[in-house]
């Protein structure tokens, strides 16, 4: 009897254990919100030379999206935290690891500075978090440096090169000289634009790389003027780009009638800072202009009420991508990274920023891009009326085709 009772008890326990297995698996599944909060970290330049292209503007845009979403997702609160990466990759990587490991951050936003963005994208892959890049431009982020946990949203160097490069080549600007900021973004922008120029039958007359924190562009401008180039392209961003354009204006390069100055990355805040007298005539490519249509004007009015200025494509991208992320969390029923990434690729984006935009397997968000020319002072009719449209570039033509991609996620 004792043996029979023991055997019966064993069978009963095994049956209970078998029944419990599905429930145990369910308990370990990614459903639901981890730690009962969806946490977004805005990692950006709050005080350095890119702070006007990101900084408080990116924080404001992300917080606006959270507020407009309702402040909760799946019944759980959404929290936004902020850190300054100081344009130091090691600082950004350390902060990203701390956020994912200790602070339970689900998604890191903005990431201006391409070296920073590439470093943090790799941390997101390692920690199974999500990184959404709006501030940085290097096309490597969706090429050889792509990850299954990162999205490149607003623009990239390939799209900037295709837009501005082709527009000027069509105008007969065949000889190019590059003034290139000596860091990852500048190098990528020069390489992508040079490829477009050569493909269009043009040639590179020369190039010079300037230190990222340089204040004196005099010697560089003399080289550009002496190159005989039709187009002088500034491959840089931030205050150093503004200084370069001012130097070009002071040296008479933009008034000679012989050379065209191309801003390969121009933020509307740059134009505002320089003024139309200096910036007029610049040809540029952009993902967003506040005065494009009624939807862009409506968003821009709300943003300006908080920031005191019009938004640029980074601000608009931070808002749009954060909203898309939260919609994906809602649809996935979880904040688990791969489930959310799958939904972000599945759901199209149709808002003030993009119509029928899609996220490809390489993490590239594909949408229309726009070529603009900065207006003359006499053409501007009201505050921030700075751009006139030259060309719309359909999304499938604006970004590097997958057939040319070195992203392992595409080849697999």
């Amino acid at each position: 009897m004792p043996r029979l009772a023991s055997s019966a008890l064993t069978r009963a326990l095994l049956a209970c254990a078998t029944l419990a297995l599905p429930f145990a698996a369910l308990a370990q599944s990614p459903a639901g919100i981890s730690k009962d909060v969806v946490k977004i970290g805005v990692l950006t330049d709050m005080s350095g030379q890119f702070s006007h292209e990101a900084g408080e503007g990116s924080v404001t845009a992300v917080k606006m999206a959270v507020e407009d979403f309702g402040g909760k997702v799946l019944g759980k609160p959404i929290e936004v935290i902020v850190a300054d990466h100081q344009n130091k990759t090691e600082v950004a990587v350390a902060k990203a690891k701390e956020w994912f490991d200790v602070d339970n951050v689900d998604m890191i936003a903005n990431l201006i500075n391409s070296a920073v963005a590439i470093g943090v994208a790799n941390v997101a892959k390692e920690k199974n978090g999500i990184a959404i890049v709006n501030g940085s431009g290097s096309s490597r982020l969706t090429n050889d440096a792509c990850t299954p946990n990162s999205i490149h949203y607003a623009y990239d160097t390939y799209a900037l090169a295709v837009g501005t490069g082709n527009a000027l080549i069509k105008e007969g600007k065949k000889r190019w000289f590059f003034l290139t900021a000596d860091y990852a973004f500048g190098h990528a922008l020069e390489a992508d634009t040079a490829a477009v120029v050569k493909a269009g039958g043009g040639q590179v007359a020369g190039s010079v790389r300037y230190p990222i924190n340089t204040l004196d562009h005099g010697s560089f401008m003399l080289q550009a003027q002496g190159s005989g180039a039709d187009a002088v392209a500034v491959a840089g961003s931030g205050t150093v780009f503004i200084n370069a354009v001012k130097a070009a204006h002071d040296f008479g390069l933009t008034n000679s009638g012989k050379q065209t100055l191309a801003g390969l990355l121009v933020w509307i805040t740059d134009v505002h800072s320089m003024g139309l007298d200096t910036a007029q005539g610049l040809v540029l490519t952009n993902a967003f202009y506040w005065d494009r249509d009624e939807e862009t004007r409506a968003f821009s009015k709300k943003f300006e009420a908080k920031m005191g200025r019009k938004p640029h494509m980074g601000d608009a991208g931070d808002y749009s991508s954060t909203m898309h992320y939260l919609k994906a969390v809602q649809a996935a029923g979880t904040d688990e990274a791969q489930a959310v990434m799958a939904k972000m690729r599945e759901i199209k984006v149709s808002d003030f920023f993009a119509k029928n935009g899609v996220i490809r397997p390489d993490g590239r968000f594909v949408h229309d891009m726009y070529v603009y020319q900065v207006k003359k002072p006499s053409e501007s009719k009201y505050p921030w009326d700075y751009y006139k449209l030259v060309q719309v570039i359909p999304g499938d033509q604006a970004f590097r085709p997958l057939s040319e991609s070195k992203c392992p996620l595409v080849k697999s």
Side-chain angles (χ1 to χ4, degrees):
M1 286 295 290
R3 287 184 178 178
L4 287 174
S6 175
S7 178
L9 179 60
T10 300
R11 287 195 299 273
L13 289 171
L14 286 171
C16 289
T18 302
L19 288 169
L21 283 175
F23 296 99
L26 184 63
Q28 294 172 4
S29 74
I33 300 300
S34 59
K35 306 295 183 181
D36 289 328
V37 61
V38 170
K39 193 173 289 189
I40 299 170
V42 183
L43 190 53
T44 186
D45 177 2
M46 295 297 294
S47 56
Q49 69 160 306
F50 302 125
S51 57
H52 295 293
E53 287 77 42
E56 288 294 345
S58 61
V59 175
T60 297
V62 170
K63 287 184 175 179
M64 281 176 63
V66 170
E67 180 181 337
D68 290 348
F69 194 81
K72 291 185 177 182
V73 58
L74 298 173
K76 304 299 181 182
I78 306 164
E79 182 181 344
V80 178
I81 60 176
V82 180
D84 185 348
H85 58 52
Q86 304 169 42
N87 290 306
K88 297 176 181 177
T89 305
E90 65 275 16
V91 171
V93 166
K95 178 55 68 174
K97 288 180 178 179
E98 176 187 327
W99 274 359
F100 286 134
D101 285 341
V102 180
D103 297 321
N104 301 303
V105 166
D106 297 292
M107 186 268 278
I108 298 180
N110 189 257
L111 295 169
I112 199 164
N113 185 312
S114 291
V116 162
I118 291 169
V120 173
N122 285 325
V123 175
K125 176 184 177 182
E126 175 190 343
K127 304 296 183 180
N128 196 34
I130 292 176
I132 302 181
V133 181
N134 274 292
S136 306
S138 176
S139 59
R140 287 192 59 209
L141 282 157
T142 53
N143 200 28
D144 62 298
C146 72
T147 84
N149 293 68
S150 54
I151 295 169
H152 204 181
Y153 204 83
Y155 73 101
D156 66 20
T157 52
Y158 185 95
L160 299 179
V162 166
T164 305
N166 282 332
L168 290 178
I169 286 287
K170 288 177 182 177
E171 290 183 9
K173 312 296 183 184
K174 297 283 188 166
R175 286 175 57 81
W176 286 60
F177 186 91
F178 288 91
L179 294 171
T180 303
D182 194 12
Y183 71 119
F185 168 76
H187 301 169
L189 193 47
E190 178 186 337
D192 285 339
T193 308
V196 169
V197 169
K198 292 173 184 177
Q203 65 181 97
V204 177
S207 65
V208 61
R209 290 182 174 176
Y210 58 83
I212 190 172
N213 293 316
T214 190
L215 295 176
D216 183 7
H217 288 80
S219 62
F220 308 135
M221 290 302 158
L222 290 173
Q223 291 182 61
Q225 284 181 314
S227 68
D230 304 312
V232 176
V234 183
S237 183
T239 54
V240 73
F241 165 77
I242 294 173
N243 291 336
V245 176
K246 288 180 177 178
H249 180 75
D250 292 342
F251 274 75
L253 187 148
T254 53
N255 300 322
S256 66
K258 298 178 182 178
Q259 294 179 309
T260 295
L261 190 66
L264 298 182
L265 175 58
V266 183
W267 307 88
I268 198 167
T269 46
D270 296 337
V271 174
H272 187 73
S273 175
M274 289 183 284
L276 292 183
D277 280 335
T278 298
Q280 62 180 303
L282 267 175
V283 176
L284 59 102
T285 302
N286 220 282
F288 172 84
Y289 179 44
W290 75 269
D291 206 15
R292 191 173 72 216
D293 55 39
E294 288 303 318
E295 285 185 282
T296 59
R297 285 188 281 272
F299 167 75
S300 300
K301 183 177 180 180
K302 290 176 61 178
F303 181 89
E304 187 175 19
K306 293 178 179 291
M307 278 296 296
R309 64 165 175 82
K310 297 296 186 186
H312 51 56
M313 66 175 169
D315 304 319
D318 278 321
Y319 179 100
S320 177
S321 59
T322 300
M323 186 67 75
H324 186 55
Y325 167 77
L326 293 173
K327 289 178 179 177
V329 172
Q330 184 82 46
T334 178
D335 58 356
E336 193 279 323
Q338 293 309 313
V340 175
M341 288 290 294
K343 285 296 180 182
M344 291 186 78
R345 296 187 193 100
E346 176 187 324
I347 302 170
K348 289 186 176 181
V349 176
S350 285
D351 60 8
F352 71 91
F353 183 81
K355 300 301 179 189
N356 295 314
V358 294
I359 296 171
R360 300 190 311 199
D362 60 350
R364 177 67 258 166
F365 178 48
V366 176
H367 53 84
D368 293 349
M369 295 289 289
Y370 306 85
V371 180
Y372 293 104
Q373 186 172 35
V374 177
K375 291 182 175 182
K376 299 175 182 177
S378 60
E379 296 174 316
S380 181
K381 305 304 181 185
Y382 41 85
W384 295 86
D385 176 25
Y386 295 156
Y387 295 166
K388 52 187 175 183
L389 182 65
V390 174
Q391 180 186 359
V392 178
I393 310 172
D396 60 356
Q397 298 174 29
F399 297 97
R400 177 179 280 111
L402 290 178
S403 60
E404 298 177 8
S405 177
K406 297 178 182 178
C407 172
L409 300 173
V410 174
K411 293 183 179 181
S412 63

